[in-house]
């Protein structure tokens, strides 16, 4: 039996991981891979509105499944997707970015062709796309088998994107060598550790925990990227250690867990008692590498000294002045579970509570009455997607019901990410609905993806909070700037205009209307799109002191 072509073999090897979707925009140089996707029976093509949206959708899919595939063409396509790939690199999301390139006969002769600068120079965009990946390869028939294995290994080991170039002619030629049939991602050993280092690191961690008077755990979303949520739960249950989550790590653990002390965000923690509980701990086990950036720490209002922290990264562990290298997060967790003993937790905490219902049927909708009703609408299996903006502040402080997942892009913070990302999340989420909350400012950047949603009809509920402005910009600056005003769009009419059939659509201005449409959504299996009117006055600017904490513009006093 003849070997498959380079493009078909690549599609087959990536589908071996269990990936069943390819997000992208077709382009002539990418035809060999796009054709291979159609030929590969285990993959389905998702034709996105543009390459940026496709990269966001692949990001969302990979967050829930573990990895994703993105297909774009040379130059114009890959560069349009670059912002999305930078977000994946920053937030540790493995996406295999496959880029179709001009044939080697064209590049060898330095012919002037489209999607270039017209100077006969090729490969000059590669360093840009490589900067958003942890590994790259240019495939040929001779190297395809070995290079694809290297790329898969590195992307999964590092939990970051891979950049794969398939020249148009190479894509059509059979691979040379013996093709490999791979394993699903859940069965792949993603990192190779030195057993003696892992054992010693686990002993060091457990020794420090036992010596501490009131230790606490801060787990990181990196555990989810490596598929370790269940092992984390096993560790917390085996040790009885109290733990908190930062907003960037929300959704990692059940928020009704008896050991959960709340969302830690420095001076903006929820409940407020969480700050004192976390900061009074004499030892903090940082599992996975919490990111102490501005938004994740209440504008750097956290107070955690490095001397009190055990750092468990994906490949190393540090306890005090001792460092163990060549470890693996999964194996360290296994060793800790094997050595676990029950700790007598001394923490007394005010558990997070459901948001109090406010407002009556005739009241105008606002944030105060929207979020409590959203919280009660959610059910097990749902995944809540928070767009970058003011909604992320509210959602981060909201207690998630049992069995509800959560995704946000707090570190990279690219507005517009949420809408296409929710498409990808919905295609990977087999357990329930995907519920997106987005502001109208962010939504305007990428709402052309609604037409794509209408084509594929995912299990998706979208709430667009319409206040007519870039609300988050007003919060961080001041009101009244013309550049913060948005084009006035009748959002609830968008799904029908873009071909979405049998969707529940509504524009709500009162609490009664909101409750009615939420009830209808929960009694239906149809996708839904709800425009919720929110007062622009809610986006009042923060004080000058708070803005200076965020941007450090004032000359510090001596």
């Amino acid at each position: 039996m003849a070997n498959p072509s380079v493009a078909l073999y690549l599609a087959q090897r990536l589908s071996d991981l269990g990936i069943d979707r390819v997000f992208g925009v077709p382009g002539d140089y990418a035809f060999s891979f796009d054709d291979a996707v159609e030929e590969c029976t285990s993959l389905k093509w998702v034709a996105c509105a543009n390459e940026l949206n496709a990269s966001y959708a692949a990001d969302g899919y990979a967050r829930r499944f573990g990895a994703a595939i993105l297909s774009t063409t040379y130059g114009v396509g890959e560069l349009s997707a670059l912002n999305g790939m930078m977000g994946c690199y920053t937030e540790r999301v493995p996406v295999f970015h496959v880029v179709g390139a001009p044939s080697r006969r064209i590049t060898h002769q330095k012919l002037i062709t489209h999607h270039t600068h017209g100077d006969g120079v090729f490969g000059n965009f590669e360093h840009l796309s490589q900067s958003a990946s942890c590994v790259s390869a240019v495939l040929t028939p001779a190297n395809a088998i070995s290079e694809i294995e290297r790329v898969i290994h590195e992307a999964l080991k590092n939990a970051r994107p891979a950049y794969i170039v398939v020249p148009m002619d190479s894509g059509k030629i059979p691979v040379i060598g013996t093709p490999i049939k791979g394993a699903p991602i859940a069965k792949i050993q993603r990192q190779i550790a030195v057993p003696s280092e892992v054992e010693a690191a686990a002993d060091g961690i457990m020794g420090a925990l036992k010596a501490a008077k009131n230790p606490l755990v801060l787990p990181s979303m990196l555990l989810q990227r490596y598929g370790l949520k269940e092992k984390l739960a096993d560790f917390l249950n085996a040790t009885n250690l109290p733990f908190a989550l930062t907003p960037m790590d929300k959704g990692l653990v059940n928020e009704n867990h008896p050991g959960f002390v709340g969302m830690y965000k420095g001076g903006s923690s929820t409940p407020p008692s969480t700050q004192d509980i976390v900061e009074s701990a004499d030892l903090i086990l940082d599992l996975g590498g919490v990111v102490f950036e501005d938004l994740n720490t209440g504008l750097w209002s956290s107070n955690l000294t490095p001397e009190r922290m055990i750092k468990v990264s994906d490949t190393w562990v540090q306890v005090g002045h001792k460092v163990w290298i060549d470890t693996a997060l999964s194996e360290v967790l296994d060793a800790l579970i094997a050595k676990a003993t029950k700790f007598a937790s001394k923490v007394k905490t005010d558990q997070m509570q459901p948001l109090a219902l406010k407002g009556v049927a005739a009241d105008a909708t606002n944030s105060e009455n929207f979020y409590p009703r959203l919280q009660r609408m959610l059910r097990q299996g749902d995944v809540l997607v928070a767009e970058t903006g003011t909604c992320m502040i509210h959602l981060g402080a909201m207690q998630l019901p049992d069995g509800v997942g959560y995704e946000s892009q707090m570190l990279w913070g690219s507005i517009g990410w949420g809408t296409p990302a929710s498409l990808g999340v919905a295609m990977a989420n087999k357990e329930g609905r995907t519920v997106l909350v987005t502001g109208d400012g962010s939504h305007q950047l990428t709402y052309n993806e609604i037409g794509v949603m209408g084509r594929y009809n995912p299990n998706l509920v979208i709430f667009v909070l319409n206040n007519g402005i870039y609300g988050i910009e007003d919060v961080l600056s001041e009101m009244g700037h013309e550049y913060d005003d948005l084009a006035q769009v009748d959002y609830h009419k968008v799904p029908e205009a873009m071909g979405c059939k049998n969707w529940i659509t509504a524009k709500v201005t009162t609490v009664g209307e909101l409750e009615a449409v939420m009830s209808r959504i929960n009694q239906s299996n149809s996708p839904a799109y709800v425009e919720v009117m929110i007062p622009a006055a809610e986006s009042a600017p923060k004080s000058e002191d708070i803005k200076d904490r965020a941007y450090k513009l004032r000359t510090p006093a001596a």
Side-chain angles (χ1 to χ4, degrees):
M1 184 177 178
N3 278 351
S5 68
V6 168
L8 180 56
Y9 179 68
L10 174 61
Q12 290 172 339
R13 273 300 288 117
L14 295 179
S15 74
D16 287 346
L17 299 173
I19 301 170
D20 64 358
R21 297 286 194 279
V22 177
F23 301 90
V25 176
D28 50 3
Y29 294 137
F31 282 165
S32 63
F33 184 70
D34 298 346
D35 291 344
V37 171
E38 289 194 339
E39 187 177 348
C40 185
T41 57
S42 53
L43 290 175
K44 292 183 180 179
W45 177 262
V46 181
C48 295
N50 56 53
E51 291 89 353
L52 176 60
N53 287 6
S55 66
Y56 288 155
D59 180 345
Y61 181 97
R63 286 166 181 258
R64 303 312 298 180
F65 175 74
I69 306 171
L70 169 69
S71 174
T72 67
T73 195
Y74 182 81
V76 293
E78 62 179 304
L79 297 182
S80 292
L82 188 55
N83 177 47
M85 288 297 94
M86 286 291 186
C88 291
Y89 185 90
T90 301
E91 305 232 344
R92 304 294 294 267
V93 182
V95 173
F96 296 96
H97 185 187
V98 182
V99 174
S103 73
R104 291 170 296 166
R105 303 180 209 283
I106 289 176
T107 59
H108 180 79
Q109 298 178 76
K110 298 182 179 180
L111 299 177
I112 296 176
T113 185
H114 59 286
H115 299 341
T116 72
H117 292 312
D119 53 6
V121 175
F122 296 91
N124 50 330
F125 307 130
E126 288 182 13
H127 72 284
L128 298 173
S129 290
Q130 286 170 348
S131 67
S133 63
C134 68
V135 60
S136 65
V138 179
L139 300 186
T140 68
N143 74 13
I145 292 176
S146 60
E147 283 290 84
I148 290 171
E149 295 311 302
R150 180 179 68 88
V151 164
I152 290 174
H153 172 74
E154 290 297 317
L156 297 184
K157 181 184 77 171
N158 293 287
R160 281 195 160 117
Y163 174 65
I164 306 170
V165 178
V166 183
M168 202 171 182
D169 57 327
S170 292
K172 295 290 188 181
I173 301 173
V175 297
I176 298 171
T178 304
I180 295 171
K181 177 67 177 176
I185 190 170
K187 296 185 178 180
I188 293 176
Q189 183 178 357
R190 297 175 61 165
Q191 295 171 322
I192 299 174
V194 175
S196 59
E197 292 280 320
V198 171
E199 188 71 10
D203 285 338
I205 294 169
M206 291 307 299
L209 289 172
K210 290 175 181 178
K213 294 180 179 179
N214 57 330
L216 181 137
V217 183
L218 277 180
S220 155
M221 188 53 73
L222 192 62
L223 293 159
Q224 179 171 314
R225 302 289 188 260
Y226 285 110
L228 301 176
K229 284 182 66 173
E230 290 185 4
K231 285 188 180 182
L232 171 63
D234 290 343
F235 170 73
L236 293 173
N237 291 333
T239 59
N240 196 40
L241 286 168
F243 66 94
L245 295 171
T246 69
M248 197 178 293
D249 308 309
K250 191 175 181 67
L252 187 59
V253 186
N254 179 359
E255 293 180 9
N256 285 308
H257 191 289
F260 181 56
V261 304
M263 301 300 302
Y264 177 66
K265 194 181 176 184
S268 303
S269 297
T270 309
S273 60
T274 302
Q275 180 180 18
D276 182 63
I277 292 171
V278 174
E279 294 180 0
S280 64
D282 62 341
L283 186 68
I284 292 175
L285 175 57
D286 178 357
L287 269 178
V290 172
V291 180
F292 294 99
E293 56 97 69
D294 50 350
L295 300 178
N296 209 35
T297 58
L299 302 180
W300 298 295
S301 61
S302 61
N303 182 25
L304 301 177
T305 58
E307 294 78 13
R308 286 186 289 155
M309 300 189 74
I310 296 174
K311 291 281 190 178
V312 182
S313 182
D314 47 344
T315 58
W316 53 267
V317 174
Q318 182 167 356
V319 181
H321 297 294
K322 295 181 180 179
V323 177
W324 294 272
I325 58 173
D326 294 327
T327 60
L329 201 49
S330 176
E331 294 190 26
V332 170
L333 261 181
D334 283 338
L336 290 175
I337 292 168
K339 298 174 185 292
T341 57
K342 287 279 186 183
F343 289 81
S345 176
K346 301 175 183 177
V347 171
K348 302 296 183 184
T349 178
D350 300 322
Q351 286 284 327
M352 288 181 71
Q353 300 293 327
L355 299 173
L357 276 178
K358 296 186 178 181
V360 296
D363 289 347
T365 46
N366 57 30
S367 294
E368 198 172 56
N369 54 46
F370 168 72
Y371 289 101
R373 287 165 175 82
L374 171 69
Q375 186 178 40
R376 286 159 176 78
M377 191 198 87
L378 296 172
R379 60 195 186 198
Q380 189 168 8
D382 289 348
V383 177
L384 181 60
V385 179
E387 175 60 278
T388 301
T390 50
C391 66
M392 192 164 59
I393 300 171
H394 294 279
L395 294 172
M398 187 177 81
Q399 182 190 38
L400 294 179
D402 288 355
V404 174
Y406 185 84
E407 297 293 349
S408 68
Q409 197 199 45
M410 181 172 286
L411 181 55
W412 187 244
S414 182
I415 64 170
W417 167 86
T419 299
S422 68
L423 170 65
V425 169
M427 289 186 163
N429 177 24
K430 313 297 185 185
E431 304 299 322
R433 305 170 301 185
T434 296
V435 181
L436 167 68
V437 180
T438 179
D440 50 343
S442 295
H443 195 49
Q444 282 198 8
L445 270 70
T446 52
Y447 69 156
N448 51 353
E449 203 66 16
I450 299 300
V452 179
M453 295 173 181
R455 176 178 178 181
Y456 297 102
N457 230 34
N459 193 358
L460 188 61
V461 177
I462 298 173
F463 290 99
V464 180
L465 308 184
N466 181 3
N467 61 4
I469 58 172
Y470 281 115
I472 189 63
E473 309 302 343
D474 274 7
V475 167
L476 298 174
S477 178
E478 57 190 10
M479 302 182 79
H481 289 296
E482 184 179 354
Y483 56 68
D484 282 339
D485 294 337
L486 296 174
Q488 299 303 297
V489 175
D490 287 327
Y491 294 99
H492 64 289
K493 296 179 181 179
V494 169
E496 182 180 2
M498 289 193 169
C500 300
K501 307 296 183 184
N502 301 315
W503 280 40
I504 296 171
T505 59
K507 177 180 180 178
V508 300
T509 60
T510 68
V511 169
E513 291 171 347
L514 176 64
E515 290 178 339
V517 76
M518 284 182 165
S519 176
R520 187 181 169 198
I521 290 168
N522 271 350
Q523 295 172 23
S524 170
N525 293 320
S526 299
Y529 185 102
V530 182
E531 178 183 359
V532 183
M533 303 307 293
I534 299 291
E538 281 190 8
S539 299
K542 295 295 184 182
S543 70
E544 292 303 315
D545 287 341
I546 290 177
K547 285 188 281 188
D548 188 63
R549 273 171 48 194
Y551 298 109
K552 311 296 183 192
L553 299 179
R554 293 174 180 168
T555 301

